[in-house]
Amino acid sequence: MSSATASRPEILRGEGLPRFEAITPEAVSSEIPKLITELSEELSALEQGLQQAMGAATALTWAAVMDPLQRLGERLRWSWGVVSHLNGVCNSPELREAHAAQQAAVVQFGNRAGQSQVIYRALEQLAQHKQALDPTQQRILAAELRDMQLRGVGLSGSEQEAFNAASQELAELSTRFGNQVLDATNGWTLKLSDPAEIDGLPTSLLDQLAQAARQAGDADATAETGPWLLGLDMPRYAPFLKYSRRRDLREQVYRAHVSRASGNNGDALNNWPLIERILTLRGEQARRLGYANWAEVSLAAKMADSEAAVEALLEELRDAAYPVAQQELTALAECAQRVGAAEATDLQPWDVSFWAEKLRQESFELDSEALRPYFPLPQVLEGLFGLCQRLFGISIEAADGEAPVWHSDVRYFRILDGGQPLAAFYLDPYSRPGSKRGGAWMDECLVRSRNADGTPVLPVAYLICNQSPPVGDTPSLMTFEEVETLFHEFGHGLQHMLTTVERPQAAGINGVEWDAVELPSQFMENWCYDRATLMGMARHWQSGEALPEEEYRKLLAARTFMGGSATLRQVHFALVDLRLHSQWHPDCGQSPEQLRRAIAERTTVLAPIDEDAFLCSFGHIFAGGYAAGYYSYKWAEVLSADAFSAFEEVGLENEAQIRETGRRFRDTVLSLGGSLDPKAVFEAFRGRQPSSDALIRHSGLVAV
């Protein structure tokens, strides 16, 4: 570390592992503005130098353009990245406020760099002499040019003003859309006071409903005596539909949920006009950028190269899933028939979850709570690390105490290859509701690169989960879903940590297309069902007894339960999203909802009810980053299932072949990062282009 860096405040150090305790809200408020000022001045100086060089017709080099740009970006990524990380894992009102106060300036700096005409011209000049660049540099440069074009750098005058104004309006509409969904969700409650109204509900849900009632002013509410307050948020809504024996109440809550933010019954929260405005503006933005529609803009930066390719995949999945979903619906009706339920001859959408749960219990007798003692975290980690050694030839060892951490729960591990350090990661496994956001994710602490003196920077990952914490002497006992989540995030971590690319813009997950980035994570989930992996780690934490064979078989069988319906639902969402962004425009003669209902005729087995206004709460595409990209979930699943089938083909018991195939996966998918087109990476591993056969088989859609 240079002495200049050592004398800077910790938050501005810009290299090495952060000392988290020094990154305080006060440091964020006082130092981030200084950093932005410094970076802005350096950006101006870079622009000036490039302008002079281009004016003097001096040939530009990578070292003169891309390296300084990358260094500017990395300093911002390091400092702001650690602030954002702490905001997610050690949240406090003070830190949240400090983070929010600086966010606009950080975004503004990114926009300024992204729309710099001087830098864009310099990149274009580099591209004219691309024969001097290696293939990785060429791909980084092409992606940088494309991203700047999509941010409107090529526009000028009134066109650019209109583009920027529309971008601003779209950002505001997107926020408003999300807020209205949130307000509509929070604005509906149903108080249950009669014990007959809670028939069938499990204790865990009654606890939640009583707690909600207490928070709403019923101070004496208890799980046993009520009252119980129902709401439309998923933790209350989903289990109620699944367990409530009161069909009339299931219908009431379902109708409220599917009509959220749709102006139903004169409600002021109405997202319909926002949907039309968002779609109209996106269409105009696409045409300003020279594309026919927003789907083309979205696909410009994806692995799928055309709308036709996406449509073809979705149709293939629809074709396989539709008859299976019909059979599943019949099976639910038969289940209802067996117990003489009146709705057996007239199943409605509010009946599906309830009868699916009944049929699941009847078919598999699988009790997820009873499996927890077989999956204590230390043992699961041992199994995961053993699998990584078997497949990828790496060893993983604990290095607690060798790096500063942000909480006593956090552990630190090193990855070694032939005894040589290769990478490291932090693991923050447990839920801390007061200060840590929900969900699970992988993030970058340090990205593989080289320092100015040529010494390597080894990658370091943050792996964050939210599983049940240990209690007393009892370790964290995981649900099977938590085990899958840990394997999933570790897959992202492996792509970040095992990369061999030294240019940070294409190292690890950087530069990997959105619809390909879930390949390694979904790939790792498959190993949770592999007999050797699962039976190797699933042992009772007290007795050491292995998971009974019968329970393993139930897990395998339940994996594809209702798989046709689940696939069809995703196909419906993805097709609606794609066609709204490619076919709908204000003069097309139908509303977005009419277009959606036409698609539903071939993508649902139970038609949407009249007041179903699902689009009004489709936040992924109207308030998130998935516009004309929702298909990415299924696209990446095709890749991951096909990649796993390479191991199935050589025989999961064939140890020598499994190791050989694992090394090949490491040397391609996990190693090459964003340095190559994902089609070329996949082909290097699989020897051919991807096929959806394995996904269709893994989803239980073959034996129709």
Side-chain angles (χ1 to χ4, degrees):
M1 192 195 308
S2 65
S3 56
T5 311
S7 62
R8 291 170 74 86
E10 175 64 16
I11 192 171
L12 302 185
R13 186 154 54 89
E15 61 181 40
L17 297 175
R19 291 202 323 277
F20 299 100
E21 77 287 350
I23 317 278
T24 60
E26 296 71 36
V28 175
S29 303
S30 63
E31 303 302 332
I32 293 292
K34 292 180 194 167
L35 176 67
I36 297 291
T37 303
E38 265 178 47
L39 294 177
S40 297
E41 286 167 2
E42 286 174 37
L43 181 62
S44 296
L46 175 63
E47 286 175 321
Q48 209 175 341
L50 291 173
Q51 209 152 10
Q52 284 168 352
M54 288 188 286
T58 309
L60 295 177
T61 63
W62 186 272
V65 186
M66 295 302 283
D67 287 346
L69 259 184
Q70 193 276 322
R71 283 195 294 272
L72 280 178
E74 174 55 17
R75 281 175 53 203
L76 181 62
R77 190 206 67 80
W78 193 97
S79 297
W80 188 245
V82 72
V83 175
S84 301
H85 169 67
L86 290 174
N87 198 43
V89 293
C90 280
N91 198 289
S92 68
E94 297 75 22
L95 181 61
R96 189 188 307 183
E97 204 174 304
H99 178 269
Q102 302 306 323
Q103 193 157 27
V106 171
V107 170
Q108 225 166 355
F109 174 76
N111 286 347
R112 193 200 137 190
Q115 283 196 340
S116 163
Q117 298 282 345
V118 177
I119 286 171
Y120 186 70
R121 285 206 311 278
L123 296 180
E124 283 188 312
Q125 197 184 106
L126 266 187
Q128 283 162 12
H129 305 286
K130 66 179 181 192
Q131 64 280 4
L133 305 176
D134 65 41
T136 300
Q137 289 174 308
Q138 290 181 27
R139 196 168 135 83
I140 292 169
L141 181 58
E144 193 58 48
L145 281 164
R146 179 201 66 215
D147 291 346
M148 289 186 80
Q149 286 157 8
L150 297 181
R151 287 200 289 256
V153 73
L155 304 173
S156 56
S158 60
E159 274 291 89
Q160 190 171 50
E161 280 171 33
F163 182 88
N164 288 344
S167 295
Q168 186 65 41
E169 189 184 344
L170 277 167
E172 288 162 11
L173 286 167
S174 164
T175 303
R176 233 177 88 204
F177 184 98
N179 287 343
Q180 296 203 153
V181 175
L182 192 64
D183 294 346
T185 304
N186 294 337
W188 186 96
T189 54
L190 179 64
K191 190 198 267 194
L192 308 174
S193 308
D194 181 349
E197 294 173 318
I198 58 158
D199 190 16
L201 304 187
T203 316
S204 57
L205 178 56
L206 292 173
D207 284 336
Q208 278 195 70
L209 300 184
Q211 182 177 308
R214 288 194 296 277
Q215 287 166 348
D218 278 303
D220 300 328
T222 67
E224 295 75 27
T225 62
W228 304 273
L229 193 64
L230 188 53
L232 298 179
D233 52 294
M234 274 302 165
R236 286 185 287 173
Y237 169 75
F240 188 84
L241 276 195
K242 191 187 277 191
Y243 295 111
S244 170
R245 293 199 189 106
R246 284 287 298 267
R247 191 181 187 218
D248 57 333
L249 295 177
R250 294 203 308 267
E251 177 177 355
Q252 194 180 341
V253 68
Y254 178 85
R255 287 182 185 278
H257 192 266
V258 294
S259 61
R260 284 174 301 159
S262 65
N264 203 16
N265 305 325
D267 187 352
L269 298 168
N270 186 357
N271 275 342
W272 288 124
L274 273 62
I275 288 172
E276 297 216 1
R277 183 69 182 146
I278 289 170
L279 291 172
T280 302
L281 283 173
R282 283 177 181 161
E284 290 169 2
Q285 292 291 72
R287 287 187 288 281
R288 287 186 185 107
L289 294 171
Y291 293 91
N293 53 54
W294 191 261
E296 284 189 6
V297 175
S298 167
L299 293 174
K302 304 277 198 304
M303 178 180 174
D305 48 17
S306 69
E307 201 191 314
V310 178
E311 286 263 359
L313 170 68
L314 294 175
E315 175 53 29
E316 191 180 351
L317 294 175
R318 190 206 69 80
D319 192 46
Y322 195 86
V324 181
Q326 283 179 312
Q327 287 182 355
E328 287 165 354
L329 193 62
T330 303
L332 297 187
E334 287 167 355
C335 179
Q337 186 86 55
R338 282 195 290 279
V339 294
E343 65 259 36
T345 54
D346 179 34
L347 279 190
Q348 294 295 331
W350 48 87
D351 299 319
V352 172
S353 277
F354 179 78
W355 290 107
E357 184 55 28
K358 285 274 177 277
L359 186 59
R360 185 201 305 270
Q361 288 170 2
E362 197 179 283
S363 308
F364 310 113
E365 298 170 341
L366 190 63
D367 179 356
S368 52
E369 288 298 306
L371 292 179
R372 278 185 191 263
Y374 291 94
F375 295 109
L377 175 64
Q379 227 164 261
V380 172
L381 286 176
E382 219 175 282
L384 173 59
F385 297 167
L387 174 68
C388 291
Q389 184 155 20
R390 177 185 171 210
L391 296 180
F392 312 126
I394 54 175
S395 53
I396 301 174
E397 54 186 42
D400 300 303
E402 289 183 27
V405 293
W406 55 90
H407 190 277
S408 56
D409 288 349
V410 178
R411 301 200 55 196
Y412 187 67
F413 294 89
R414 288 195 184 287
I415 295 189
L416 305 171
D417 188 13
Q420 294 301 305
L422 189 67
F425 63 94
Y426 297 93
L427 174 67
D428 185 352
Y430 311 127
S431 165
R432 295 189 294 277
S435 61
K436 183 177 172 183
R437 73 177 168 90
W441 64 95
M442 188 284 294
D443 204 355
E444 302 170 326
C445 175
L446 298 177
V447 182
R448 186 181 178 97
S449 58
R450 286 201 175 271
N451 290 312
D453 62 5
T455 53
V457 174
L458 297 181
V460 179
Y462 298 125
L463 291 169
I464 316 295
C465 295
N466 260 292
Q467 64 198 53
S468 336
V471 179
D473 296 333
T474 308
S476 170
L477 301 177
M478 302 167 71
T479 65
F480 189 68
E481 288 71 27
E482 287 172 344
V483 174
E484 287 181 296
T485 298
L486 178 64
F487 273 60
H488 178 103
E489 297 310 330
F490 207 76
H492 285 306
L494 287 167
Q495 188 170 33
H496 173 66
M497 295 184 286
L498 301 191
T499 190
T500 52
V501 179
E502 306 243 303
R503 298 197 182 276
Q505 304 98 318
I509 60 170
N510 290 288
V512 179
E513 280 73 354
W514 183 281
D515 46 5
V517 83
E518 293 292 334
L519 194 179
S521 52
Q522 293 176 341
F523 165 81
M524 286 299 287
E525 284 184 51
N526 287 290
W527 291 97
C528 298
Y529 292 91
D530 167 52
R531 172 183 292 279
T533 307
L534 183 71
M535 298 307 262
M537 68 183 171
R539 294 188 308 283
H540 196 284
W541 75 279
Q542 284 165 308
S543 68
E545 171 204 346
L547 181 76
E549 176 67 24
E550 189 192 351
E551 295 299 313
Y552 170 66
R553 292 196 172 285
K554 286 181 195 172
L555 270 175
L556 278 188
R559 185 182 186 183
T560 58
F561 180 67
M562 296 295 287
S565 305
T567 298
L568 200 58
R569 175 182 159 85
Q570 290 298 88
V571 168
H572 176 70
F573 293 166
L575 261 184
V576 168
D577 165 43
L578 189 68
R579 290 187 187 165
L580 282 175
H581 288 102
S582 60
Q583 297 178 7
W584 189 86
H585 55 88
D587 306 316
C588 70
Q590 59 180 170
S591 68
E593 177 60 10
Q594 285 167 327
L595 180 63
R596 181 232 165 172
R597 286 186 183 257
I599 294 167
E601 287 172 19
R602 297 182 74 241
T603 54
T604 57
V605 287
L606 272 181
I609 61 172
D610 287 349
E611 57 268 63
D612 185 321
F614 156 71
L615 287 182
C616 289
S617 57
F618 199 179
H620 273 83
I621 70 168
F622 294 119
Y626 279 86
Y630 195 87
Y631 78 89
S632 298
Y633 285 113
K634 280 296 170 202
W635 190 274
E637 231 180 305
V638 167
L639 304 177
S640 61
D642 196 358
F644 185 72
S645 73
F647 292 82
E648 294 176 316
E649 283 164 18
V650 299
L652 291 170
E653 310 75 37
N654 184 339
E655 202 50 36
Q657 289 282 300
I658 288 292
R659 286 172 188 268
E660 192 184 307
T661 311
R663 297 307 183 277
R664 194 167 76 246
F665 188 81
R666 175 184 169 180
D667 293 341
T668 52
V669 176
L670 298 180
S671 165
L672 298 171
S675 70
L676 264 184
D677 182 290
K679 290 189 192 72
V681 174
F682 189 89
E683 196 162 318
F685 169 64
R686 204 68 175 91
R688 57 164 174 74
Q689 280 303 297
S691 149
S692 55
D693 294 351
L695 175 61
I696 287 172
R697 181 166 48 79
H698 289 172
S699 307
L701 305 181
V702 234
V704 177

